[in-house]
């Protein structure tokens, strides 16, 4: 599956290319700290954790308690897992292979 064409423009292309140039976790922290707020970074991290927990078939209640996200966010992540661009699936698989 491909990504949403509404995302594609020169600025977003440049952002993706910049992320791909990061070499390690420290560089990621430094870049994201400068480009996003702490709340935005934490929200992205929470969504990834929600995806991991959904993949393990954990309940919405357990996920909400563990992550602090709303059931609406859990539903959105689940919808993306099932019907999205397969970005979560891709990274979850790579994370499993890496560990």
């Amino acid at each position: 599956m491909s990504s949403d064409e509404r995302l594609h423009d020169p600025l977003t292309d440049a952002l993706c290319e910049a992320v791909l140039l990061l070499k390690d976790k420290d560089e990621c922290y430094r870049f994201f700290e400068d480009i996003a707020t702490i709340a935005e970074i934490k929200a992205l991290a929470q969504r990834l954790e929600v995806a991991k927990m959904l993949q393990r078939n954990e309940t919405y209640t357990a996920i909400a308690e563990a992550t602090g996200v709303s059931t609406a966010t859990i539903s959105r992540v689940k919808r993306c897992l099932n019907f999205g661009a397969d970005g979560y699936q891709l990274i979850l698989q790579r994370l499993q292979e890496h560990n």
Side-chain angles (χ1 to χ4, degrees), residues 10 14-15 36 41 48-49 53 57 59-61 66 68 71 74-75 80 85:
L15 174 62
I41 297 165
L48 180 57
E49 183 61 22
M53 294 177 81
N57 295 315
T59 66
Y60 276 37
T61 303
T71 56
I74 298 168
S75 294
C80 290

Side-chain angles (χ1 to χ4, degrees), residues 18-76:
V19 169
L20 290 170
L21 293 174
L22 297 170
K23 294 183 176 130
D24 58 33
K25 193 185 304 186
D26 180 61
E27 287 186 3
C28 286
Y29 271 103
R30 290 168 50 202
F31 178 70
F32 281 103
E33 184 177 336
D34 285 351
I35 201 166
T37 66
I38 291 173
E40 290 166 335
I41 297 165
K42 294 285 188 181
L44 293 171
Q46 286 174 319
R47 289 179 183 188
L48 180 57
E49 183 61 22
V50 168
K52 290 176 186 177
M53 294 177 81
L54 285 168
Q55 192 175 52
R56 293 191 304 259
N57 295 315
E58 297 192 31
T59 66
Y60 276 37
T61 303
I63 295 169
E65 287 175 1
T67 64
V69 303
S70 68
T71 56
T73 297
I74 298 168
S75 294
R76 183 184 187 289

Side-chain angles (χ1 to χ4, degrees), residues 55 88-98:
Q55 192 175 52
Y88 279 123
Q89 299 293 350
L90 175 71
I91 201 63
L92 291 174
Q93 180 180 344
R94 288 191 182 163
L95 286 168
Q96 277 186 327
E97 292 168 357
H98 182 71

Side-chain angles (χ1 to χ4, degrees), residues 1-8 76-94:
M1 179 165 283
S2 63
S3 62
D4 191 326
E5 287 299 317
R6 294 174 294 180
L7 287 172
H8 294 258
R76 183 184 187 289
V77 172
K78 185 171 185 170
R79 186 172 50 252
C80 290
L81 273 170
N82 293 327
F83 306 109
D86 292 334
Y88 279 123
Q89 299 293 350
L90 175 71
I91 201 63
L92 291 174
Q93 180 180 344
R94 288 191 182 163

